[in-house]
Amino acid sequence: MTITTTDFQRWASAHQQRIEVQLKAALPSAELAPQRLHQAMRYVALGGGKRVRPLLAFAAGEVTRADVGRVAIAGAAVELIHAYSLVHDDLPCMDDDVLRRGKPTCHVEFDEAIALLAGDALQSLAIQLLAEHRLADDPSAQLEMVRLLAAAAGSRGMAGGQAIDLAAVGVTLSLPELEFMHIHKTGALIRAATLLGARCGAALDAAELEQLDRFSKCIGLAFQVVDDVLDTDATTATLGKTAGKDARHNKPTYVSVLGVADAKKLAGELRGDALDALDGFGERALRLRQLADFIVLRKF
Ligand code: GRG
């Protein structure tokens, strides 16, 4: 069977729409009190973004033949955590940015207090979603899924990575230190998306789980390397967020440590390692392979 780019685009677009529907249903109505908070939550979570994390969940769900409805809940939960992280990251006390997904950031459109609360409430809603829908036949497997997402977002995951990032401004990091930061800041949630999607389906054996974990680690790092390259290579209009910010803020990145050419080479190597990790999964991992390509070749 010949798989074309168009086939992947059709698959991605159908699943992006599915996530949009799921998020719309999960988010409180903008008419419900407190309206301004709910408006802010919907403003940041709906109608934007590549939805890479939910797509990874859907793709990993195909490996374990998971029910798509269950994966949509898990993917939406991860996307809500991601949306919260972007809102808080853009606040004046962190990256202080005014543009996100081509629109004014949440604290610019609303105000700082509402942005802080919207982020908090998005995070809570994510955990609530995982807890109130049946995602696994075995209750202990579902409990493990809740634990996995909470841990990925916490101080040993994304929030911890962000703390390291904030402390690294103006500091020269070695490649392993940079990797440690991004395994937490960006990688933890990407890993959670993949593992949660897979766990909505049939249990994988330990070796297969290790393969999926290795895939997630490589693709999480590749995602960040490409993000750093795009920050120097792409325009604000293409990215929908302020380009060139890392250098201006004196932040260590893969580009500042390696240079653009070697950073691009590293992204290609990580893609290769990610694909190697999927050996033996056959056609079930087709979408994961295509997503690895999308993540490395994307222009936004
Ligand atoms: C505030 C706890 C806390 C964490 C923030 C994820 C993060 C940590 C900050 C976002 C800033 C950033 C540029 C991170 C690096 C990579 C990244 C997560 C980019 C944005 O994700 P995309 O490209 O965004 O998937 P879209 O808009 O497509 O969803």
Side-chain angles (χ1 to χ4, degrees), residues 70-71 74 127 130 134-136 138-151 192 195-201:
R70 288 182 173 185
V71 183
I127 302 299
L130 282 194
R134 167 71 71 186
L135 300 180
D138 174 2
S140 68
Q142 176 142 358
L143 202 56
E144 170 55 22
M145 292 168 80
V146 180
R147 195 205 64 80
L148 185 86
L149 185 60
L195 295 184
L196 285 179
R199 280 177 193 201
C200 287

Side-chain angles (χ1 to χ4, degrees), residues 224-241:
Q224 185 61 52
V225 177
V226 172
D227 208 71
D228 288 355
V229 170
L230 288 174
D231 189 64
T232 62
D233 263 11
T235 63
T236 297
T238 313
L239 295 178
K241 60 181 181 182

